Amino acid sequence: MDVWETRRENMRGVIDEKGGVKAVSTLLGFSNSSYLVQMTGPNPSRPISERNARIFELKLGLASGGLDM
């Protein structure tokens, strides 16, 4: 599994733990959940970039690099 898939799978776990895509989108400051769904949905069209991974970790209270493990 490459880093993009690892981040996606870990972010899906965070989404499940924190109450779903809508709840996590709100925590991340997105006005709607479509951007997050593009990265983590069943047919993702965007990778979770290095920059976004670090921002998501910070805003969600995760350890730095946590989405990469």
Side-chain angles (χ1 to χ4, degrees), residues 6-65:
T6 302
R7 286 178 186 154
R8 182 173 293 117
E9 288 304 313
N10 289 336
M11 192 64 184
R12 286 174 176 160
V14 170
I15 288 168
D16 289 342
E17 290 173 11
K18 297 206 179 269
V21 174
K22 178 87 170 133
V24 173
S25 294
T26 301
L27 291 172
L28 294 174
F30 299 144
S31 59
N32 64 53
S33 58
S34 63
Y35 184 62
L36 191 56
V37 169
Q38 290 173 8
M39 290 184 271
T40 63
N43 298 308
S45 59
R46 293 179 181 268
I48 299 176
S49 68
E50 178 79 21
R51 180 177 181 268
N52 278 337
R54 301 300 83 87
I55 291 170
F56 294 172
E57 290 163 353
L58 182 66
K59 289 186 176 184
L60 297 172
L62 305 173
S64 180

